[in-house]
Amino acid sequence: MAAIQASKSSTPLLKDELDIVIPTIRNLDFLEMWRPFFQPYHLIIVQDGDPSKTINVPEGFDYELYNRNDINKILGPKASCISFKDSACRCFGYMVSKKKYIFTIDDDCFVAKDPTGKEINALEQHIKNLLSPSSPFFFNTLYDPYRDGADFVRGYPFSLREGVPTAVSHGLWLNIPDYDAPTQLVKPRERNTRYEIETFFCLSFFGARRYFEL
């Protein structure tokens, strides 16, 4: 209920408690489509690849940009713990963030639209997920009993209905499903139509390295 009430306020949800971490190898033109949702928040951009390459960020965003040279300078002999040439370089962004919550997204993700063509604020949806309790140990067949108008099904233990804090909200990507390579080969025409991939989590529960154990 608190999350729903907060969304009606003029202040974006968790504005001062959230960093957006983006690993990238290219100019961040994709941020233009996310501007209505991301601009109020602080961005931590971790540049993969050649540190001499200039990464352009659209004007109007509040951000920090780190590359391999920065990481070597900050971490010294421990810099090798940050993997590059894969998305794991985002872990450095988690490490330098001073916020309670992290939202991370890849630089090739597009804004999803609902059946009417309206753009979906996936960030707000993930925030509401994280601010709502989760149901432990038992699966509720109505899916989310904490959303407006929903409730617990018969047989769900009363002692567990208060739920537990939600630590991670993980999205899916549109178009090609996130299958392994052999499965993609046998299902070349299968497409996913449910939102895009990004992850939102609370650093109070997971450290920078624990993310890749999920």
Side-chain angles (χ1 to χ4, degrees), residues 111-121 125 174 193-196:
V111 177
K113 297 181 180 181
D114 67 17
T116 69
K118 180 182 178 181
E119 292 186 339
I120 296 170
N121 186 349
Q125 288 190 0
L174 282 170
T193 58
R194 296 182 59 190
Y195 308 133
E196 63 290 314

Side-chain angles (χ1 to χ4, degrees), residues 179-192:
Y179 290 139
D180 54 65
T183 306
Q184 288 188 29
L185 287 174
V186 299
K187 296 184 174 182
R189 293 186 175 85
E190 185 170 343
R191 295 295 182 266
N192 173 46

Side-chain angles (χ1 to χ4, degrees), residues 129-148:
N129 288 347
L130 216 65
L131 294 179
S132 298
S134 292
S135 49
F137 311 124
F138 290 83
F139 179 75
N140 193 71
T141 53
L142 293 178
Y143 182 57
D144 182 6
Y146 302 105
R147 74 180 189 277
D148 281 347

Side-chain angles (χ1 to χ4, degrees), residues 13-22 37-46 62-64 66 90 92-105 123 126-127 130 198-203:
L13 292 168
L14 302 180
K15 180 181 182 298
D16 298 320
E17 299 181 73
L18 169 69
D19 278 334
I20 299 176
V21 174
I22 306 171
F37 312 129
F38 287 4
Q39 191 161 12
Y41 298 92
H42 180 68
L43 312 182
I44 298 177
I45 302 164
V46 185
D62 173 33
Y63 70 92
E64 302 169 62
Y66 298 92
R90 75 181 78 220
F92 181 79
Y94 307 158
M95 188 194 75
V96 297
S97 173
K98 297 178 177 62
K99 304 293 179 60
K100 181 178 180 180
Y101 299 99
I102 295 289
F103 178 86
T104 184
I105 186 170
L123 173 57
H126 279 290
I127 291 174
L130 216 65
E198 66 273 313
T199 304
F200 183 55
F201 63 96
C202 178
L203 281 180

Side-chain angles (χ1 to χ4, degrees), residues 161-172:
R161 293 190 181 193
E162 290 186 3
V164 297
T166 303
V168 177
S169 176
H170 201 298
L172 299 172

